[in-house]
Amino acid sequence: MKRGISILIDNGHGVETPGKRSPDSRLLEYSYARAVARDVADQLRERGYDASLLVLEPRDVSIMERVRRVNQYCYLLGGNNVLLVSVHCNAAGSDGKWHDAKGWQACVSHNASLRSMALAENLADAAVCYGLKLRKPTPTQKWWSQNIGICRDTNCPAVLTENLFMDNRDDVDFLLSKKGLSVIVNVHVMGIMNYLHSQNVQSRIISP
Ligand SMILES: [Zn+2]
């Protein structure tokens, strides 16, 4: 069997993570990210890719533990044979009120590899392709460089996606719609597949 890439989808926060919800509590970041992560992993597996969820527990799993899990894969397979995407929703404030900021963004860590940047760019292109408003730090750069532990401390290409704002009314209405969820899922599936094709690598085909 040809060795390829093991795709890890991190669903971020757990049920006990404080805050992290829309002002009207209709959208809870941990459960929304889990729904997205589950569907992304399912769809990638249906297409023959080796995709897994990093966190199976409903509880909050610390970043340190999530990093440990990712790096275990990297140790066993080699960092360039692993890929991590961490799924989140953005927030403009922490005051429990609605705000105006809106849109989708991809983030990498300050120490990001070229592969991480390429993965972020493919995800950003997929977001535009699906009609989302892409937030960019400059007119030409499609991803943000930030101090993100799950990306900084893992030994593989790693991107964190901020899937619209949970404290923007329009974004929350869209996220909670059937179409919105499928768009967010499809952005990840398309972005990851296009990245793999651009790197000319195959994901490991898993047998049923
Ligand atoms: Zn988050």
Side-chain angles (χ1 to χ4, degrees):
M1 188 191 296
K2 192 168 179 184
R3 182 184 250 206
I5 302 288
S6 198
I7 302 162
L8 301 177
I9 310 294
D10 174 32
N11 38 22
H13 315 285
V15 62
E16 307 99 334
T17 312
K20 310 287 186 187
R21 60 176 62 204
S22 61
D24 58 7
S25 294
R26 282 191 301 148
L27 188 148
L28 305 176
E29 187 183 4
Y30 89 92
S31 67
Y32 195 81
R34 271 152 206 272
V36 171
R38 189 188 57 231
D39 286 359
V40 169
D42 284 351
Q43 289 199 22
L44 286 169
R45 276 198 296 271
E46 279 169 21
R47 289 166 163 84
Y49 292 91
D50 175 6
S52 316
L53 294 177
L54 190 63
V55 176
L56 296 172
E57 306 92 320
R59 67 181 170 85
D60 201 1
V61 173
S62 71
I63 288 189
M64 193 190 293
E65 167 61 13
R66 284 184 270 147
V67 166
R68 192 195 66 76
R69 290 180 189 180
V70 175
N71 284 341
Q72 181 71 10
Y73 277 88
C74 298
Y75 174 73
L76 294 171
L77 303 172
N80 286 335
N81 295 318
V82 180
L83 174 165
L84 171 71
V85 177
S86 186
V87 179
H88 292 256
C89 294
N90 216 337
S94 53
D95 53 4
K97 295 185 175 141
W98 296 106
H99 293 270
D100 291 332
K102 59 191 327 186
W104 189 97
Q105 73 186 61
C107 308
V108 299
S109 65
H110 294 313
N111 62 345
S113 64
L114 289 174
R115 281 188 170 91
S116 294
M117 296 175 201
L119 176 57
E121 182 144 341
N122 277 282
L123 286 160
D125 286 342
V128 172
C129 189
Y130 275 99
L132 298 180
K133 169 185 150 59
L134 179 65
R135 292 166 57 83
K136 299 189 284 188
T138 70
T140 52
Q141 187 170 308
K142 297 173 185 171
W143 37 264
W144 299 70
S145 179
Q146 295 178 344
N147 189 21
I148 302 167
I150 192 81
C151 296
R152 182 192 63 221
D153 298 336
T154 45
N155 302 321
C156 62
V159 173
L160 184 148
T161 60
E162 293 282 16
N163 295 281
L164 309 185
F165 280 77
M166 60 186 143
D167 53 7
N168 178 285
R169 287 181 198 273
D170 294 338
D171 278 2
V172 169
D173 283 345
F174 180 76
L175 287 168
L176 292 174
S177 68
K178 203 172 165 196
K179 183 189 172 198
L181 177 61
S182 83
V183 162
I184 297 297
V185 170
N186 288 337
V187 163
H188 290 81
V189 173
M190 179 195 269
I192 290 168
M193 286 175 56
N194 285 347
Y195 164 76
L196 291 173
H197 291 148
S198 75
Q199 299 289 303
N200 211 10
V201 290
Q202 280 188 312
S203 177
R204 237 164 358 136
I205 305 296
I206 49 170
S207 27

